[in-house]
Amino acid sequence: MDRNEFKPPARVMIVAGKGGVGKTTVSATLAYVAARAGLRTLIVEVEGKSGLPELFGRNEALSYEETVLLAEGEAGRGAAELRARTLTPDDALVEYLESHGLRRVSKRLSSTGTLDVVATAIPGIKDILVLGKVKQLEVLSASGAEGAPEFIVVDAPAAGHAVSFLASAYGLLDAAPVGPIRAQAIEVTSLLGDPARCQVMLVTIPEETPVNEAVDTAFHLEDRAGVKLAPIVVNAVWPHLDLVMDGSEGSVRAAAEFRSQRQALQEEQIARLASMLPLPQVILPFLFTTELGRGDLEVLAESFAPQLAAAEGR
């Protein structure tokens, strides 16, 4: 794969979805596709409980400092380096204070254990600290600085929090008429409102409740956060089989009937999603394994890349 086969829709792709639909797996797959295409890629995890390293065969936990998940060339000829990191409000606040000449204050807050108190003093301040750091990374990416990521994937909070997470900047615009918080909120809304800089990719599975939640989240994100939605990913879709049950008996027939019902259910939900949410769909296959690994990412990436290109009209 080369750069002509994968062009990111935006410099930052925020991946969001209901808990349990495979949001982290889709984040890893998207990042893997980009790295294979030769783009220096960074995955940002914001909840501090990611299983991302295991997907790439790594055991070390992520931290605020960037960790190399794939070295240059490790994902194939021409593949770029893939890194990952966590972004926590406390760490972002310390970095913000230190970068503004307040190193002594940040040390004092850390030593007295009051960082969390400060970070929660204003509703939405935690989210704006994290989004402000994402904005800073995107600006670095746009500058083309040596070693800067060319594509950033954010593994966002689960759908319920994702809306408030992304809408926090707009809330702070009303709450803070002047000052550095307002300035940060303005810069973040500028990022979220520019589809060349940032888009949101929703993930769901072909079941009734996740589909309903994906549709609600999509409309809330467009209304309250002003973001552009990328193609939606329908994850864990069982491959279609033309089953012939004539002559089958017992457990074989029961299994065939179960599979047939499952296929009908997911096809119904995929069609319902298309009717309620006019977004291109990317369908990823269900993988019959208990723990996903690097080989599974290869399988998902082979399916993901051409569908995303087709959805983007390339």
Side-chain angles (χ1 to χ4, degrees):
M1 179 180 289
D2 59 32
R3 291 175 184 245
N4 294 324
E5 297 177 80
F6 175 74
K7 182 180 179 183
R11 281 190 291 275
V12 176
M13 185 64 72
I14 298 175
V15 180
K18 177 180 168 61
V21 299
K23 178 170 58 65
T24 297
T25 301
V26 171
S27 297
T29 303
L30 177 60
Y32 188 69
V33 168
R36 285 203 320 179
L39 295 170
R40 288 189 306 277
T41 304
L42 173 67
I43 306 176
V44 174
E45 197 282 322
V46 301
E47 291 191 309
K49 54 182 180 182
S50 175
L52 272 170
E54 289 82 0
L55 287 170
F56 292 90
R58 310 281 181 175
N59 295 321
E60 64 272 28
L62 298 180
S63 70
Y64 196 68
E65 302 300 324
E66 292 183 7
T67 299
V68 176
L69 294 181
L70 290 176
E72 184 177 341
E74 191 175 343
R77 184 178 180 183
E81 189 177 69
L82 194 160
R83 293 172 174 257
R85 64 181 295 174
T86 59
L87 273 183
T88 64
D90 288 355
D91 288 328
L93 177 58
V94 168
E95 184 178 333
Y96 177 85
L97 291 172
E98 292 184 354
S99 65
H100 287 73
L102 299 170
R103 179 181 295 272
R104 185 174 298 177
V105 174
S106 71
K107 286 185 176 179
R108 180 69 173 169
L109 291 174
S110 297
S111 63
T112 58
T114 54
L115 264 178
D116 193 57
V117 176
V118 174
T120 55
I122 303 173
I125 194 69
K126 276 192 168 186
D127 295 332
I128 202 69
L129 284 168
V130 172
L131 287 170
K133 182 62 184 177
V134 172
K135 180 265 303 176
Q136 186 185 78
L137 292 169
E138 187 273 338
V139 170
L140 184 66
S141 173
S143 73
E146 184 177 357
E150 297 169 284
F151 182 49
I152 301 167
V153 179
V154 179
D155 186 4
H161 182 196
V163 175
S164 59
F165 173 68
L166 294 172
S168 61
Y170 293 92
L172 287 171
L173 284 179
D174 297 330
V178 294
I181 293 177
R182 180 176 179 81
Q184 186 82 304
I186 290 174
E187 292 181 7
V188 169
T189 54
S190 176
L191 168 70
L192 297 177
D194 186 343
R197 300 175 66 189
C198 178
Q199 295 187 22
V200 173
M201 176 173 282
L202 289 173
V203 182
T204 188
I205 55 176
E207 296 179 8
E208 184 173 1
T209 300
V211 165
N212 290 342
E213 189 158 336
V215 172
D216 287 344
T217 302
F219 288 119
H220 278 107
L221 283 174
E222 287 186 325
D223 292 343
R224 294 175 55 190
V227 295
K228 176 178 171 54
L229 297 175
I232 187 168
V233 177
V234 185
N235 190 32
V237 177
W238 289 24
H240 183 86
L241 296 177
D242 292 320
L243 299 170
V244 178
M245 287 181 274
D246 293 347
S248 300
E249 296 180 352
S251 58
V252 173
R253 184 175 186 85
E257 288 177 345
F258 173 79
R259 180 60 181 264
S260 179
Q261 291 170 0
R262 175 79 186 188
Q263 288 182 178
L265 172 66
Q266 66 179 21
E267 288 166 4
E268 176 188 338
Q269 293 303 321
I270 291 171
R272 194 169 69 90
L273 176 64
S275 69
M276 293 192 298
L277 195 61
L279 288 174
Q281 295 182 356
V282 174
I283 307 292
L284 292 184
F286 184 91
L287 300 181
F288 296 88
T289 180
T290 54
E291 292 187 12
L292 298 179
R294 172 77 178 278
D296 300 306
L297 282 186
E298 294 271 3
V299 174
L300 294 174
E302 290 296 328
S303 177
F304 196 111
Q307 290 189 73
L308 185 59
E312 295 290 331
R314 289 180 280 111

